[in-house]
Amino acid sequence: MAKNAIRYYSKFGHTKKMVEAVKDIVGAEPQLVSVPLLEPVDTLFLGAGVFLGKVNGSVMDFIQSLTPDKVKRVVCFGSCAIIKSPVPQMRQALQAKGIAVSDKEFTCSGSMGPVKAGHPNDADIKAFKEFVRTVLDQ
């Protein structure tokens, strides 16, 4: 059976809402990026948001702690209110480390005050659950 892990950073609670919704599907307890991977995993779900146009530095520090022998593939996801997605920043850092990144990715809206208010909403969470199931069925 495949070993999966979830790591995330959530400044405003959007990404936390997402990971809590899929932990049973993934079969792993979500952990903050401050918790290192102690054993190899087949699939790492890595989530973040964007603040002031950047993924949080702790996410990038976590990525720097990873090695290809520790992670077979990473599936990136997140939320954002203004820019298109946090995924390209994470993907670039992971690929620079020689870590395989799934071509499947997920981004939904995250609220920032009145901008995208109420997101991620129930429809976003439902779509994320379907995305995770699809990725795990590959």
Side-chain angles (χ1 to χ4, degrees):
M1 184 170 172
K3 177 146 179 68
N4 304 319
I6 305 170
R7 293 295 188 278
Y8 72 100
Y9 177 83
S10 189
K11 184 174 182 80
F12 299 108
H14 307 132
T15 308
K16 181 176 182 175
K17 182 177 181 180
M18 295 170 74
V19 298
E20 289 296 329
V22 299
K23 65 183 181 184
D24 292 337
I25 298 167
V26 174
E29 194 62 36
Q31 300 284 332
L32 295 171
V33 291
S34 58
V35 178
L37 279 180
L38 299 177
E39 53 189 55
V41 296
D42 296 305
T43 301
L44 170 65
F45 288 86
L46 181 60
V50 176
F51 187 69
L52 299 175
K54 293 190 177 196
V55 170
N56 186 274
S58 62
V59 175
M60 296 310 201
D61 291 345
F62 176 75
I63 289 171
Q64 291 307 309
S65 76
L66 300 176
T67 57
D69 62 318
K70 212 182 259 188
V71 181
K72 286 188 183 171
R73 76 170 171 166
V74 178
V75 177
C76 298
F77 67 93
S79 66
C80 53
I82 298 173
I83 72 167
K84 187 174 178 182
S85 173
V87 172
Q89 293 177 44
M90 293 188 290
R91 177 184 301 282
Q92 182 179 16
L94 288 158
Q95 289 175 333
K97 297 271 305 175
I99 296 169
V101 182
S102 173
D103 59 346
K104 306 278 189 243
E105 60 185 66
F106 184 92
T107 302
C108 68
S109 294
S111 61
M112 188 173 83
V115 178
K116 312 280 185 174
H119 287 273
N121 60 23
D122 291 344
D124 297 326
I125 296 301
K126 182 179 179 184
F128 184 52
K129 286 179 174 181
E130 287 304 312
F131 165 78
V132 169
R133 284 186 187 102
T134 301
V135 168
L136 290 174
D137 286 346
Q138 287 182 334

